[in-house]
Amino acid sequence: MKGDFMLQEKKNEKEEIIKIISEIDEILGTRTNVRKKVNSYDIKCSLLGMVAGVMIPITYNNITTNAAIGIVENITDPFSNVVRDNIVNGVFLNYSGIVISDDNFYVYFNENGYFKFDNIKSIVLVITKLSNKDMVINQKMTILNGGLVNILSNVTLYLVSGASGTSIKSLNFKNTDKSAIVLNDVNDVTLEQINMMLTSKMKDVFGISINSSNNINIVSNDVYVTGENRLIQGILLSHSNNITINNNSVILEGNKTAKGIVINSVNVSNLVNNTIHIQGNGVFDIVLVDNSNNLNISYNNLIARSTKVVSPLEIINSNNFIMN
């Protein structure tokens, strides 16, 4: 059984054809990915001939062309190949999941960090290695590491209006003078199993900030922040409702001002089964609550060690608490 795979490029009325002929018997049962960045005057990608019994994916190609169709399939077995996650003239086709790294970041995100492709109902981003980036998400996504090596170095992830329903799982942040995750004006978001190692040298730093958002689940995350002469904070909640913070570890080490969890103008929310540990020689608030109501603060392990002022749990202008 033989198959011909042809990648066909046309420019200025002249056609250059590159033929790759493979013995199907040799690759039977394997997956052969064809990936190419194509930029030309008149280009199309074609799969021609008899292709059967083997999967030949055409994935993650970035094609700019004047051809009527960017990818043409003319094969005998339409079920033997997969064509997905390609960009043709700036349009993202048959999306499923995208692996994002420093190498291809600006293919999918603009210079301001916004995802380039609109009107996509839901998409999966698999993050591998990123450095010195801001990612601004304004549509529903699932963002995870997919079991791959995953380090976000000096990266801040922003979820803004339009990103409701997003789920973020198993990312690893390692930042200096840069906070990790910011949620603003979103609903129904889950942050789960995220590791944050943050260092403050010249700027104030926090792990997670949630503002004007509802129905947020913060579950099983590790936040570790160190800083000598700046304000360091773990998790900040502001003007939000129905927030669940469960089974997280927040550890701060500082010599100036440190705040583990700050809750301001938040209602009907739960802070349960968390460990918040602050140590150093600064002024520390483990949990600070202000102008909030109907909170369940139970079964948390609060630890602070300092030669200066320590407040394990401070509640101001707030009512209707459950505490165990």
Side-chain angles (χ1 to χ4, degrees):
M1 185 183 300
K2 295 185 178 180
D4 294 333
F5 177 82
M6 181 181 296
L7 181 67
Q8 185 172 304
E9 297 186 353
K10 292 173 57 183
K11 183 176 181 180
N12 297 330
E13 303 295 331
K14 293 183 179 180
E15 195 173 65
E16 177 185 8
I17 301 175
I18 301 175
K19 293 184 179 180
I20 304 173
I21 303 176
S22 301
E23 291 291 336
I24 295 300
D25 291 340
E26 294 180 3
I27 60 172
L28 188 63
T30 67
R31 298 187 58 160
T32 304
N33 277 300
V34 179
R35 301 187 180 191
K36 186 175 179 66
K37 182 175 180 180
V38 183
N39 290 279
S40 187
Y41 176 77
D42 190 5
I43 302 170
K44 66 181 178 180
C45 226
S46 298
L47 188 64
L48 307 175
M50 182 176 68
V51 180
V54 62
M55 182 176 289
I56 304 180
I58 303 175
T59 59
Y60 304 111
N61 298 287
N62 186 13
I63 300 172
T64 301
T65 178
N66 283 349
I69 301 175
I71 300 175
V72 177
E73 299 174 75
N74 183 12
I75 58 178
T76 58
D77 184 357
F79 300 103
S80 290
N81 70 304
V82 175
V83 180
R84 59 173 174 79
D85 298 317
N86 297 287
I87 300 171
V88 178
N89 292 335
V91 178
F92 194 29
L93 303 177
N94 297 326
Y95 54 86
S96 60
I98 310 172
V99 178
I100 300 292
S101 68
D102 280 325
D103 293 336
N104 68 353
F105 181 84
Y106 292 109
V107 173
Y108 301 101
F109 292 83
N110 66 22
E111 293 182 354
N112 295 318
Y114 283 85
F115 194 67
K116 290 181 179 181
F117 304 96
D118 298 327
N119 302 318
I120 297 178
K121 293 181 180 180
S122 182
I123 196 166
V124 176
L125 296 186
V126 179
I127 310 296
T128 57
K129 291 185 179 181
L130 285 180
S131 58
N132 303 309
K133 303 284 192 305
D134 287 335
M135 296 178 65
V136 184
I137 306 301
N138 59 1
Q139 56 190 293
K140 179 181 177 181
M141 293 187 181
T142 298
I143 303 174
L144 42 77
N145 72 5
L148 303 174
V149 175
N150 166 261
I151 298 176
L152 284 72
S153 177
N154 287 335
V155 172
T156 301
L157 179 58
Y158 296 88
L159 269 63
V160 299
S161 180
S164 293
T166 289
S167 176
I168 303 173
K169 185 175 181 179
S170 302
L171 300 182
N172 298 292
F173 290 85
K174 187 176 181 181
N175 292 353
T176 299
D177 287 337
K178 196 171 179 65
S179 300
I181 298 175
V182 179
L183 275 60
N184 188 47
D185 191 25
V186 294
N187 302 315
D188 305 305
V189 169
T190 297
L191 308 178
E192 185 176 3
Q193 297 179 1
I194 300 169
N195 297 312
M196 288 157 267
M197 297 183 62
L198 313 176
T199 301
S200 170
K201 292 184 177 180
M202 303 296 293
K203 297 180 180 180
D204 299 342
V205 167
F206 57 80
I208 299 171
S209 175
I210 297 173
N211 181 62
S212 299
S213 300
N214 303 305
N215 305 321
I216 309 298
N217 292 313
I218 305 173
V219 181
S220 301
N221 302 286
D222 292 320
V223 180
Y224 177 67
V225 187
T226 63
E228 290 294 323
N229 301 306
R230 306 292 301 190
L231 170 63
I232 59 175
Q233 301 175 97
I235 299 174
L236 311 179
L237 309 179
S238 177
H239 297 91
S240 300
N241 300 306
N242 195 23
I243 310 297
T244 295
I245 303 176
N246 181 51
N247 195 37
N248 299 278
S249 172
V250 178
I251 300 175
L252 308 180
E253 295 186 20
N255 290 321
K256 188 177 181 181
T257 304
K259 300 179 180 181
I261 296 182
V262 179
I263 301 173
N264 178 39
S265 300
V266 173
N267 300 299
V268 194
S269 295
N270 299 283
L271 178 66
V272 179
N273 291 324
N274 301 281
T275 296
I276 303 102
H277 185 177
I278 308 179
Q279 64 182 26
N281 297 311
V283 178
F284 300 155
D285 289 293
I286 301 180
V287 177
L288 176 60
V289 181
D290 187 13
N291 193 34
S292 300
N293 300 288
N294 299 306
L295 302 184
N296 178 14
I297 302 178
S298 298
Y299 307 112
N300 299 287
N301 187 16
L302 309 181
I303 305 168
R305 297 184 177 91
S306 176
T307 58
K308 297 181 180 179
V309 179
V310 174
S311 174
L313 175 59
E314 183 175 358
I315 300 174
I316 306 168
N317 299 323
S318 303
N319 298 290
N320 300 327
F321 282 77
I322 297 174
M323 289 191 291
N324 294 295

